[in-house]
Amino acid sequence: MAKWIQKSDPRYKAYLKREARDKRRKRKPRKAKAYKNSYAIAKITAPLMPKTRLCMMNYVQRFRLDPNPVNAGNTDVTNSLLPIRTFTINNLKDFDEQTSGIGSAAAMNDEFANHQPRGYDQWGTHYNNMTVVSTKTSIEARNRYVTLSDANHGPFTKPPEPVAVGYLTSHFNKIDHATALSTKFNDVLEQRQVRYRELNDDRHKVNLTHTWQLKKEPTRSKNLNMETTTSDFAWGSMYNQDINQANKRFLHIFATPLGIKDNVDPTPIDFTVQISAVVLLSNRNDMSRS
């Protein structure tokens, strides 16, 4: 600082600003003007397909579940079994292992059954291995009024019965569809192995969210890039193949009546399920000569 400028001098603040400006200019040397096409050249010389990469794959399925009636005083027999639709949330080849016509407690009407998530085939042409790292499943359920006919009054609308819609939790994520069909609503309520909401009219919909993360699985490999898909402990799979059966994780969606009145048959429930999966792509295919 110049000796002739004192702190009490009005020019002291201006002097400090000049000093700070000069220091900044010394720290940041002036760069030479870049070639106008250098960015484009860098993009061209970079690898077109990295050895591994993460991507997002989306899957949507619409279907219908028909809740079974529950008779008063008889809630723990066959007609109280849950109508269930099962999704394998970490198996890209077949998220929905059920197809129309499967014998179960649910009457299922599929919009488009047995399809892969968007981008599955396209990425499969470049990478051999695919591993689901995490998934987020959004569940939307809707009810509706039913039109009935009476000899005295003619057609009339009947409000829907209250229905519980949700999914099974806890150890059920390791149980396949055939085993889960024997599940009873009373049992999962007592064991706290269910998450559900009440759906009681057609003006409001029910939204539920389910998440799954591979890093929370105790048997996962620390280095997924080096994992061999043929291993019994593999969480990934080759393109167009299923993952190991022991590592499949299931999401069981259900709809069941909350009331216990005699001869009450709730209306079918329409579902829209969207699965967003974060996928690790590895074992890249080599590009051949043209």
Side-chain angles (χ1 to χ4, degrees):
M1 182 173 61
K3 295 182 179 180
W4 57 274
I5 298 180
Q6 304 297 327
K7 290 185 179 181
S8 58
D9 195 302
R11 297 171 293 175
Y12 180 71
K13 290 185 178 180
Y15 171 78
L16 292 180
K17 289 183 179 180
R18 289 195 301 271
E19 287 286 317
R21 182 190 60 193
D22 294 340
K23 289 182 180 180
R24 288 197 299 269
R25 288 179 177 178
K26 291 180 181 179
R27 285 199 306 264
K28 296 181 180 180
R30 191 172 183 181
K31 295 182 179 180
K33 187 177 181 181
Y35 181 65
K36 63 179 181 179
N37 290 329
S38 60
Y39 177 77
I41 293 175
K43 296 292 286 186
I44 293 174
T45 57
L48 297 178
M49 301 295 292
K51 292 183 179 180
T52 62
R53 69 179 301 163
L54 291 173
C55 72
M56 177 75 74
M57 295 187 186
N58 293 318
Y59 172 91
V60 175
Q61 180 68 287
R62 298 172 60 193
F63 60 94
R64 179 175 297 173
L65 286 178
D66 190 2
N68 292 322
V70 178
N71 296 324
N74 197 23
T75 60
D76 198 31
V77 292
T78 303
N79 59 4
S80 66
L81 294 175
L82 292 175
I84 289 176
R85 184 60 176 264
T86 302
F87 291 89
T88 312
I89 55 178
N90 64 337
N91 187 27
L92 295 172
K93 180 179 179 293
D94 201 357
F95 271 141
D96 186 3
E97 294 191 349
Q98 297 175 249
T99 57
S100 298
I102 286 184
S104 67
M108 296 175 293
N109 299 311
D110 300 275
E111 179 201 28
F112 185 28
N114 278 4
H115 69 283
Q116 284 75 40
R118 185 75 60 172
Y120 179 75
D121 293 327
Q122 289 76 12
W123 285 118
T125 61
H126 302 291
Y127 294 92
N128 291 314
N129 296 357
M130 299 183 177
T131 304
V132 178
V133 178
S134 64
T135 60
K136 179 181 179 181
T137 305
S138 301
I139 306 169
E140 179 183 293
R142 293 180 179 273
N143 209 335
R144 60 187 183 281
Y145 278 73
V146 177
T147 302
L148 302 175
S149 181
D150 184 88
N152 298 325
H153 304 90
F156 64 95
T157 57
K158 175 186 175 183
E161 296 291 332
V163 174
V165 296
Y167 57 85
L168 303 180
T169 60
S170 186
H171 72 282
F172 282 99
N173 68 334
K174 299 180 181 179
I175 295 178
D176 60 12
H177 175 74
T179 307
L181 280 178
S182 60
T183 304
K184 298 177 181 178
F185 191 49
N186 289 354
D187 293 340
V188 293
L189 282 178
E190 291 177 346
Q191 298 168 6
R192 296 183 178 181
Q193 296 173 337
V194 62
R195 184 187 176 199
Y196 75 94
R197 290 184 180 178
E198 180 181 351
L199 181 63
N200 52 22
D201 59 46
D202 65 339
R203 293 171 296 177
H204 301 90
K205 61 184 179 180
V206 165
N207 292 301
L208 292 166
T209 302
H210 173 272
T211 58
W212 174 83
Q213 294 180 334
L214 178 56
K215 66 180 182 180
K216 294 184 179 180
E217 295 288 344
T219 60
R220 73 180 180 91
S221 173
K222 293 183 179 180
N223 190 348
L224 296 176
N225 296 334
M226 302 299 294
E227 186 180 68
T228 304
T229 56
T230 57
S231 169
D232 294 337
F233 303 99
W235 287 95
S237 65
M238 298 287 288
Y239 167 69
N240 207 28
Q241 293 184 12
D242 294 316
I243 69 170
N244 187 281
Q245 181 67 28
N247 287 337
K248 288 184 178 180
R249 293 298 177 259
F250 302 95
L251 176 61
H252 306 285
I253 301 173
F254 68 88
T256 188
L258 287 173
I260 54 174
K261 296 181 180 180
D262 287 322
N263 301 321
V264 172
D265 189 5
T267 59
I269 308 300
D270 295 329
F271 285 85
T272 301
V273 172
Q274 179 174 349
I275 302 176
S276 299
V278 178
V279 182
L280 173 66
L281 306 173
S282 58
N283 191 8
R284 181 191 62 190
N285 288 325
D286 293 331
M287 295 184 180
S288 59
R289 294 180 61 183
S290 300

